[in-house]
Amino acid sequence: AEALRRQTPPTAIEVALRATQDWAALPIDAYLRGEAVLRREARVPFQGWRMVSYTAYSSVRERVNGVLALEVMGFAIFLAMMFWFASRKATNRVAVFERESAELRALNAALQREIAARKQVERNLEVAEQTMAQTSKLAALGEMSAAVSHELNQPLAAMKTYLAGARLLLQRKRPEETLSSFQRIDDLIDRMGAITRQLKSYARKGSDAFEEVDTRAAVSSALSMMEPQLKNRYVEISRTLPGEPAMIFGDRLRLEQVIINLLRNAIDATKTVADPRIDVILALGETVTLTVRDNGSGIDDLDSLFEPFYTTKQPGDGVGLGLAISSGIVNDLGGRMTARNGAGGGAVFEVQLPRLKTAAKAAE
Ligand code: ADP
């Protein structure tokens, strides 16, 4: 017991560590009733007492195993939680991806629906436009046929009356009056010819007959063609032509038709004026510009001016096709026709045509 007392007793942990290091290598502390036990000794500060306790190895092992099992379990739970969090994060991410891709798919589908709807609208619009174009062509055709048949029927009916009158006059042997009836019929035929000529020039389209045209020559020939009508009344005509050729690329006859129409309108507009005057000015710049100015009554309705069948003239004096046809011809030649009222009264018509510069230089 003395020897035992001098020994510093190992702590329980040391003993446990030693015991777990190598169970077999350690000597058993003691045996109690044939069972290996762990000996623990404690000093009690009372009369040099020592307290010795014995614990069965098996119970220590159980405890250690219990703590180990607890730790393993804790670690396993920790690992499981980690996995759970990781998988939850992954699942969340997948869910977000899926949501986003579902939204994208929905957006895509909506866009496709919209595109399809738009295409349908476009197709509908095209069909509507075609129908409109067709309808307006038919309407124009109808309007034109009505006006033309009215314009032609009127002189035809008048001719029938004059013929009946002429027959009666012949029976009554009044040749002088019969002749004047014939003259009237002749005038009516001229008038019908004028109407059909206008329509013919309208129908003749296309750039087949296009050639290099000197606008100065077209102005001169239009003026000489109007001479008989100008002779009837005194109208002062001033013409200003450039010294160099005013070349355009177009149809000479139709260009002359435009100038004749403008001159005829100017003559008509100056009927009520005491000193009628018409200025024809041809100017060269970026374009070839023809201006026909009169000192007549001026234009009543600038908006309807170029509309087919718009006329302020008496039935028989005008069909209202002249300006509609003329502006159509100018458009075909690649130019444009404008109209305004002059500052000092009267009307000003301006025709601008693309200038053929190379040809102009070649001709110089
Ligand atoms: P129309 O001469 O057969 O009436 P136009 O298309 O040539 O047909 O002219 C349409 C209308 O434009 C004329 O009835 C007239 O009212 C107006 N107009 C044309 N030229 C002139 C002008 N120089 N001055 C005033 N009004 C004009």
Side-chain angles (χ1 to χ4, degrees), residues 265-266 269 294 298-299 305 310-313 318-324 347 349:
N265 278 341
D294 62 59
I299 300 155
L305 201 64
Y310 167 76
T311 182
T312 54
K313 294 170 192 172
V319 215
L321 281 177
L323 286 179
F349 282 84

Side-chain angles (χ1 to χ4, degrees), residues 69-83:
L70 212 67
E71 277 178 4
V72 167
M73 212 166 77
F75 191 63
I77 287 172
F78 174 71
L79 270 183
M81 295 254 287
M82 288 283 283
F83 275 126

